[in-house]
Each structure stands twice: as structure tokens, then as C-alpha cells.
Amino acid sequence: MRALPTQPFEAADLDGVPRSFVFFRITLPMLMPYVITAALFRMLDAIQQFDIIYAMTQGGPGDRLMVFQVQAYLDFFQNTNVGRSAALLMILWAITFGLSNLSSSIGCAARAGPRAR
């Protein structure tokens, strides 16, 4: 918050703009690149939870925690089903690739600001 320029906030204060308008129209658009970067890091961190899930529950009671990584691991090492394991990991890669590109394009749009009409 300290890195944001103070001029837009001072101008909004002088014009008597309501705080909610300042937040949604000035503060949030300026913070959007940082929010998107943090969301991308959290998303990638959530995808990398294989070790915790497998070490603690090995897929959970029943199939409750059977995520792509655990299912691929079990298919490969316990069921020796290499094709299904590779397919699951390719799906996971495609999801990760798509979400990171989507968040990257949203971040670029947020940095560019509103379009001029």
C-alpha cells in the first residue's frame, strides 16, 4: 500500500469522492497486479501438495483426497498403469499451464489499465 502513488488519493479526497468509490476505482486497480501474482503463487503452491497428502493419508479415507498427483502415483507404482498415470499428469500440466497463462493475461490487462474510449 505504501508503494502506491498518493496523488490519486489526494485528488479523490479534495473532490469529496466516497471511500468505497476510491477503493474500487483507484486502490483495487492499482493493487491488481500484486493480487494476481499472489493468487498465481497460491495456486501453484496448492497444486504441489502431493507429498503432504500422500504421506499423511495416501489418498484419504476412501477417495476423499484422491487428487491428480496421488492418483497418478498410485496408478504408476501400485497398478503399473503407466499410460493412465502419464495421461493424468498431462491433464494436470495442461490445467496448470492454462491457469498460469490466464492469470498472466489478466495481470497484463490489469497493468495496462482501463481502455481509452
Side-chain angles (χ1 to χ4, degrees):
M1 293 288 288
R2 291 181 187 169
L4 297 178
T6 59
Q7 292 86 3
F9 299 105
E10 291 171 357
D13 190 36
L14 287 175
D15 291 341
V17 177
R19 287 183 174 247
S20 61
F21 190 84
V22 170
F23 177 75
F24 286 108
R25 298 293 180 149
I26 297 174
T27 308
L28 198 57
M30 285 186 195
L31 288 176
M32 196 54 67
Y34 303 108
V35 170
I36 290 171
T37 302
L40 177 64
F41 285 150
R42 293 300 118 221
M43 177 193 62
L44 292 174
D45 190 41
I47 289 173
Q48 297 175 357
Q49 294 302 314
F50 165 76
D51 55 343
I52 296 170
I53 294 171
Y54 187 75
M56 295 187 71
T57 65
Q58 296 180 352
D63 288 337
R64 291 286 185 191
L65 293 176
M66 193 64 65
V67 293
F68 277 117
Q69 300 94 322
V70 174
Q71 184 64 45
Y73 179 83
L74 294 176
D75 279 344
F76 187 81
F77 287 107
Q78 288 184 354
N79 304 330
T80 62
N81 193 347
V82 177
R84 180 180 161 87
S85 176
L88 285 172
L89 292 175
M90 286 303 294
I91 291 170
L92 178 66
W93 176 83
I95 291 170
T96 306
F97 183 76
L99 289 176
S100 64
N101 280 339
L102 178 68
S103 66
S104 176
S105 65
I106 291 171
C108 288
R111 272 184 250 117
R115 295 183 181 150
R117 295 182 191 195

